[in-house]
Amino acid sequence: MLPIPRRRSWLCVLIGVLLLASWWHGPLRPLWDGLDGLVFRLTNPLLGQQPLWDGFWALANHRATDLIAALTMALIFALSGRHDRRGDGTELLARAVVGALLGLATKAFVGSVLDLDRLSPTLAFGDSQRLSLLVPWLETKDSSKGSFPSDHGLVLLCLTLYGWRQLLPAARWAAALATVAFSLPRLFSGAHWLSDTLAGSLPLISVGLLGVLGLDRLLERRLLPVLAAAIGRLLPPPLRHWLQSPQASRA
């Protein structure tokens, strides 16, 4: 695993704490509320104009799109591992699984500790456009009674940031772009405020991952090898062979 300077780790945590604190309580909260309102007022009126446009965003907020997001991230990790001389695709797939599990665990922990009944924009503004009403034939998420933090963004961010050290440079930015792309529909539908991600998910993940760094040796020596071996056994032989690094295969 590539080492991360301790000073940089603590700097990320400090930034995360300050972001969360600036939203939670303080003179910057009105700025967050103003930014949230501005983004919603700019995006929500764009709905209800064209059926195809509404259908696209409704489909993007369908639960099936979460599966597409998961497969996309798995492909990014697998391709990065396959083209990396340090290992193979199954190792990074195992890391992707651990990152996703960490995100889900953080989501469950936050939900049990923080009791934030924050209404999503579509519930806070009674005259908002609702995708569930504009496209009633497709089940879509456009509201939440506990929108802070963004659980969708939290899992994607955790997956990306946990694998950041091992991903190749191109894969890092591909994962970051995928995180933005798959988080955007929740924002556009009005299911989440912008601050749910920037002042919620991002700070919580930055703090949570610092604690995970202390478990690096345990994860590297115990969990990841076992998980990678299990993934290798479950995959069909042609796919398992394809995931192997070409450099490793020649060696």
Side-chain angles (χ1 to χ4, degrees):
M1 175 176 289
L2 299 178
I4 290 184
R6 185 179 299 272
R7 184 177 300 177
R8 187 182 302 177
S9 300
W10 281 108
L11 179 61
C12 292
V13 172
L14 177 61
I15 293 174
V17 170
L18 290 176
L19 278 173
L20 181 59
S22 69
W23 177 87
W24 197 280
H25 180 71
L28 293 182
R29 178 59 186 267
L31 294 179
W32 280 116
D33 292 341
L35 182 60
D36 284 338
L38 175 63
V39 171
F40 184 71
R41 287 193 298 271
L42 290 175
T43 56
N44 191 252
L46 298 178
L47 299 176
Q49 305 296 325
Q50 296 289 338
L52 288 178
W53 179 254
D54 297 338
F56 168 78
W57 288 109
L59 184 62
N61 279 281
H62 191 267
R63 291 299 182 185
T65 308
D66 294 346
L67 177 60
I68 297 176
L71 292 175
T72 299
M73 298 297 281
L75 181 60
I76 291 172
F77 274 67
L79 286 174
S80 179
R82 184 177 184 272
H83 291 91
D84 192 342
R85 296 179 180 179
R86 294 170 296 176
D88 59 42
T90 55
E91 293 178 359
L92 270 182
L93 277 179
R95 190 170 296 280
V97 172
V98 173
L101 291 176
L102 289 173
L104 293 173
T106 304
K107 171 186 172 182
F109 176 77
V110 171
S112 63
V113 173
L114 299 179
D115 185 18
L116 293 174
D117 297 328
R118 189 189 194 192
L119 297 180
S120 63
T122 49
L123 297 180
F125 296 97
D127 58 346
S128 62
Q129 298 284 357
R130 297 285 299 271
L131 280 173
S132 56
L133 299 178
L134 295 171
V135 190
W137 49 270
L138 186 64
E139 184 179 355
T140 185
K141 182 176 181 179
D142 64 357
S143 64
S144 175
K145 293 183 178 180
S147 69
F148 187 91
S150 170
D151 51 357
H152 195 69
L154 191 147
V155 174
L156 288 171
L157 281 168
C158 188
L159 179 60
T160 299
L161 295 178
Y162 179 70
W164 191 266
R165 291 175 291 169
Q166 290 286 5
L167 290 171
L168 294 176
R172 293 173 183 174
W173 296 110
L177 182 61
T179 296
V180 174
F182 287 110
S183 299
L184 187 60
R186 295 292 197 273
L187 180 68
F188 205 95
S189 71
H192 286 290
W193 305 92
L194 180 63
S195 61
D196 290 340
T197 298
L198 295 185
S201 302
L202 184 58
L204 290 170
I205 287 301
S206 67
V207 174
L209 284 180
L210 181 66
V212 173
L213 293 179
L215 302 176
D216 271 351
R217 292 184 178 180
L218 176 63
L219 292 174
E220 291 292 317
R221 297 177 181 178
R222 303 301 179 106
L223 179 59
L224 286 174
V226 173
L227 189 56
I231 291 175
R233 288 193 297 268
L234 292 174
L235 294 176
L239 181 56
R240 185 169 62 245
H241 177 74
W242 179 83
L243 283 171
Q244 291 180 349
S245 171
Q247 293 87 351
S249 299
R250 286 196 294 268

